[in-house]
Amino acid sequence: MRPKVLLALAALAATAFAPAGQPDPKRNPNLLSVDLDFAVKELCAPWLAGTADIAALTDRPGVVKASSQPAWAAGGEAFWVGKPDLTVALAISPRGARTCTLRSTSGNPDKLRAALGKTLEAWRVPLTPSVHKFPSGAYARRDVLCSPKDGLQDTVLISIGAPNGPVPLMATLMSNSPRDPRCDAQR
């Protein structure tokens, strides 16, 4: 093989097998669609793992600090990712837990939920549905995903919008200590 081809293959392999929670500084979000994969893998995962600070994660093309702080951002810093239809807020809760909230204002709720589910299959720990049924409130439904009882305690609260609702998808990824009680609550 030619040297350029070998170098390209080596770079691709290094990117494909980068340690979980490590951002790929060469990767930029898709500017034409709601890029949940980028948001989760490049912003949320390293933020929750504590492997990078906000500036290191967001200093790249296609990630722009939001012009105003949304109320739902819970005191974090909010960024438009790819386009203003996807906002990501990186925050630290009053208990000291890191959170990453994704909010999409466009797209089909079911397709966005499926895309998020596909991305979360590669999360740093396996996530399974909680036995707790979170009240849906203004959404069509809410799902809670939890990590196993032993090890890292990650929880994801996913709010799926009603068809033609103002917010098709909102998800908060949390790194908890202690374990989120919703993960073990009885039905």
Side-chain angles (χ1 to χ4, degrees), residues 17-83:
F17 299 106
Q22 295 297 318
D24 177 0
K26 295 177 185 162
R27 184 175 177 203
N28 295 316
N30 184 328
L31 301 176
L32 301 176
S33 67
V34 176
D35 196 345
L36 294 170
D37 187 74
F38 175 89
V40 169
K41 291 178 179 175
E42 298 297 319
L43 301 177
C44 294
W47 174 246
L48 266 59
T51 58
D53 65 14
I54 291 176
L57 294 173
T58 59
D59 185 22
R60 59 173 87 190
V63 179
V64 178
K65 187 157 178 75
S67 59
S68 62
Q69 183 69 9
W72 57 264
E77 291 188 54
F79 300 88
W80 292 322
V81 177
K83 61 183 191 169

Side-chain angles (χ1 to χ4, degrees), residues 3-169:
K4 287 183 182 180
V5 172
L6 288 174
L7 285 174
L9 288 173
L12 180 62
T15 300
F17 299 106
Q22 295 297 318
D24 177 0
K26 295 177 185 162
R27 184 175 177 203
N28 295 316
N30 184 328
L31 301 176
L32 301 176
S33 67
V34 176
D35 196 345
L36 294 170
D37 187 74
F38 175 89
V40 169
K41 291 178 179 175
E42 298 297 319
L43 301 177
C44 294
W47 174 246
L48 266 59
T51 58
D53 65 14
I54 291 176
L57 294 173
T58 59
D59 185 22
R60 59 173 87 190
V63 179
V64 178
K65 187 157 178 75
S67 59
S68 62
Q69 183 69 9
W72 57 264
E77 291 188 54
F79 300 88
W80 292 322
V81 177
K83 61 183 191 169
D85 294 5
L86 177 60
T87 306
V88 175
L90 305 173
I92 298 178
S93 76
R95 295 182 300 125
R98 289 178 178 243
T99 65
C100 179
T101 300
L102 314 167
R103 185 174 188 264
S104 174
T105 57
S106 72
N108 176 291
D110 293 326
K111 288 182 180 179
L112 290 169
R113 174 60 178 96
L116 180 61
K118 179 103 174 112
T119 296
L120 290 174
E121 287 175 3
W123 192 247
R124 61 187 183 164
V125 293
L127 297 168
T128 57
S130 168
V131 295
H132 176 77
K133 296 300 177 195
F134 203 90
S136 60
Y139 296 93
R141 73 177 197 275
R142 285 187 162 156
D143 300 333
V144 177
L145 304 177
C146 301
S147 59
K149 286 185 179 184
D150 296 329
L152 294 172
Q153 292 303 306
D154 291 347
T155 307
V156 183
L157 171 61
I158 305 168
S159 302
I160 300 100
N164 301 318
V167 180
L169 180 85

